[in-house]
Amino acid sequence: MRRRWAAGLAVALVAGCSSPAWNDRDYELKAAESAETVGSAVEAVRLAVGGDGRLTRPYLKVLLTGAAEQVQGVNDQFGGVQPPSERARRLGERLLEVTERAEKAVAGLLTEVRRDRVADPAGAVRELAGLGRTLRRFQEEHG
């Protein structure tokens, strides 16, 4: 009985770590949805960091924490999707390259805000705008 329970638990844990994509188009749609979600988070951060300075530090911390968690969650979830083909695998790698850069950028800004303030708001806005454009293009191409 214990072996069955342990085997069942092992199967459930492995199944929870990844999900299948039925075909290349399904995988492509999952990638496009992931790009859209990360792009929305990046845009919110860009607007907050590039604002007129009226946002308080505590509010920025909350916003950046939420965005960082959202981007990380998308990366974790999409990274667990099994690509059905080599073409899909390459597509996923392209997306994760951009979303991981977005995750790093948002986490870096959160660290800056926690320490004091964003050191170079204009530079951060430019970087986030570029990531946002890349994610929108990806989403439009594959959605």
Side-chain angles (χ1 to χ4, degrees):
M1 182 66 172
R2 284 186 183 203
R3 283 187 192 183
R4 281 189 184 165
W5 186 83
L9 179 62
V11 168
L13 289 174
V14 170
C17 294
S18 61
S19 63
W22 301 111
N23 55 40
D24 280 2
R25 183 62 183 147
D26 183 47
Y27 189 84
E28 190 173 27
L29 291 172
K30 289 177 188 224
E33 187 68 29
S34 296
E36 181 179 19
T37 302
V38 172
S40 294
V42 165
E43 182 65 12
V45 171
R46 184 189 68 78
L47 291 171
V49 170
D52 57 9
R54 290 191 300 172
L55 296 180
T56 65
R57 189 167 158 237
Y59 181 80
L60 275 175
K61 280 198 267 186
V62 169
L63 187 138
L64 290 169
T65 298
E69 289 172 353
Q70 183 177 20
V71 173
Q72 181 182 20
V74 170
N75 283 343
D76 290 347
Q77 186 175 15
F78 183 73
V81 177
Q82 299 169 355
S85 70
E86 181 62 25
R87 177 186 164 275
R89 185 189 62 75
R90 286 191 306 271
L91 177 76
E93 286 176 354
R94 274 186 36 225
L95 174 62
L96 285 172
E97 178 185 316
V98 178
T99 60
E100 287 171 355
R101 283 184 15 230
E103 182 178 352
K104 184 178 177 182
V106 173
L109 290 169
L110 177 57
T111 299
E112 288 183 35
V113 168
R114 284 180 176 157
R115 289 183 179 155
D116 182 31
R117 62 182 175 77
V118 175
D120 180 14
V125 166
R126 282 191 302 277
E127 179 184 13
L128 294 167
L131 288 166
R133 280 191 301 274
T134 301
L135 289 162
R136 271 192 306 282
R137 258 192 324 268
F138 187 96
Q139 193 242 336
E140 290 167 0
E141 287 175 23
H142 302 287

